[in-house]
Amino acid sequence: MHFDYHFTAVSVMWTLTFASLLVLLVVLIGRDRARLFPWFTASIVLVALRLLTNRLLHDKLPQLTMATIAISLADLSVLVGFAVPVEMARRAFKKAGSLAWAGWTLGLLALAGVVLWKWGPWPAWKAIAFDTTIARLQFMQLIAVKTGLLVDVLSIALGLLVVALGRRYGAGWHSHVQRIMIGLSTASIAQIGAQGIWEIIARHTTPHSQAEYERVLGLQEKLLNTNSAVYVIVLIWWIVCLWIDEPGTAAAAPSSDTPDTQKITEAETGDA
């Protein structure tokens, strides 16, 4: 019997990513990590929801309706994603003083603001309009793209900061905060790297035939698949790290001198 499955790289990566997200959510809830990292958990839920929505509703709704749903979820996702570095910073540097907090916050925001301003084109502000649904969707998409870039830059910078200084403030290598930030930084580096490579290719490539055009699209698909593969690795990293308890937080094993044991010992002593 011959089986013909017609699996593509896109479908395989989608399946692996969605399955990994579900397992991660099980770990977050089952191991009581969602209570400690609510914004991180919410961001994972939104990523899974966006994947599922795009998969189930693609080519099944009118184009404008689908765009409205996708862009709205993207905006919500980046807003929640912006809260994740804040949550991680508060847990990683809870022992830091107010002066250090203010200095590093201003420094990270300044760095992210410069990258955000210099990276990619910005539309002319006079051209921004809100009189039509398409114009409003374009503005919402701009917010999603630029805020997503801001979150990626903050995640990379904060990840480096947590790795370098986290141990001093109680967020060492075995802490969940540091390992979550390592994953966030890795995913953000892959995302920014894929965007940067694609922008260079698109800026310096002018297809002169259908074959060259298809080759450029093939390069884009390879970049997207590579980015997805890195994200799956990050999800597996989070699953393993968050399943394991931090040192000193695991429940202590029951002592041999429990009250019941003591009663039995006393009874045996009395009988003797």
Side-chain angles (χ1 to χ4, degrees):
M1 182 180 295
H2 177 68
F3 295 96
D4 191 6
Y5 291 105
H6 297 291
F7 287 141
T8 64
V10 175
S11 62
V12 170
M13 292 310 305
W14 185 92
T15 303
L16 290 175
T17 304
F18 189 70
S20 300
L21 287 168
L22 293 183
V23 175
L24 178 58
L25 287 174
V26 170
V27 172
L28 286 169
I29 297 173
R31 302 290 288 176
D32 200 27
R33 315 302 186 206
R35 179 180 58 84
L36 299 176
F37 306 105
W39 287 110
F40 175 72
T41 304
S43 68
I44 297 299
V45 171
L46 284 173
V47 172
L49 179 60
R50 289 178 62 192
L51 275 178
L52 188 62
T53 301
N54 292 334
R55 186 73 171 184
L56 295 181
L57 301 182
H58 184 65
D59 292 335
K60 294 181 175 63
L61 293 177
Q63 187 175 3
L64 186 60
T65 304
M66 184 63 202
T68 303
I69 295 174
I71 295 175
S72 298
L73 286 176
D75 282 339
L76 181 60
S77 181
V78 295
L79 291 177
V80 172
F82 184 79
V84 174
V86 177
E87 177 180 68
M88 296 302 159
R90 290 182 62 185
R91 296 191 64 86
F93 300 107
K94 56 186 176 182
K95 297 180 181 179
S98 57
L99 185 61
W101 257 100
W104 283 112
T105 300
L106 291 176
L108 291 179
L109 290 177
L111 173 64
V114 171
V115 175
L116 183 65
W117 181 256
K118 296 294 184 179
W119 186 293
W122 284 85
W125 297 112
K126 295 181 179 180
I128 297 178
F130 302 95
D131 52 345
T132 64
T133 302
I134 295 178
R136 288 190 289 270
L137 288 177
Q138 288 176 342
F139 181 74
M140 292 172 61
Q141 187 176 27
L142 176 66
I143 293 176
V145 172
K146 295 301 182 180
T147 308
L149 177 60
L150 178 66
V151 172
D152 287 332
V153 176
L154 287 176
S155 297
I156 295 172
L158 181 61
L160 295 174
L161 195 62
V162 170
V163 171
L165 303 176
R167 185 176 181 181
R168 181 184 304 177
Y169 298 101
W173 169 250
H174 294 289
S175 66
H176 290 154
V177 173
Q178 185 168 132
R179 296 191 173 187
I180 289 175
M181 283 310 307
I182 290 174
L184 285 175
S185 299
T186 303
S188 296
I189 290 172
Q191 177 71 19
I192 290 180
Q195 290 180 0
I197 294 173
W198 173 244
E199 287 185 6
I200 293 174
I201 293 174
R203 190 180 301 116
H204 296 89
T205 302
T206 305
H208 298 286
S209 64
Q210 183 65 26
E212 293 182 358
Y213 178 74
E214 292 178 356
R215 183 175 64 85
V216 173
L217 291 182
L219 290 175
Q220 184 186 27
E221 183 177 351
K222 290 180 180 179
L223 286 173
L224 293 175
N225 290 337
T226 302
N227 187 30
S228 298
V230 172
Y231 190 64
V232 170
I233 294 173
V234 169
L235 290 173
I236 296 174
W237 163 266
W238 283 335
I239 290 169
V240 174
C241 294
L242 291 173
W243 177 265
I244 302 172
D245 290 320
E246 292 182 354
T249 59
S255 174
S256 59
D257 294 331
T258 58
D260 293 338
T261 305
Q262 293 176 358
K263 290 179 180 178
I264 294 173
T265 304
E266 291 173 358
E268 291 176 351
T269 304
D271 292 340

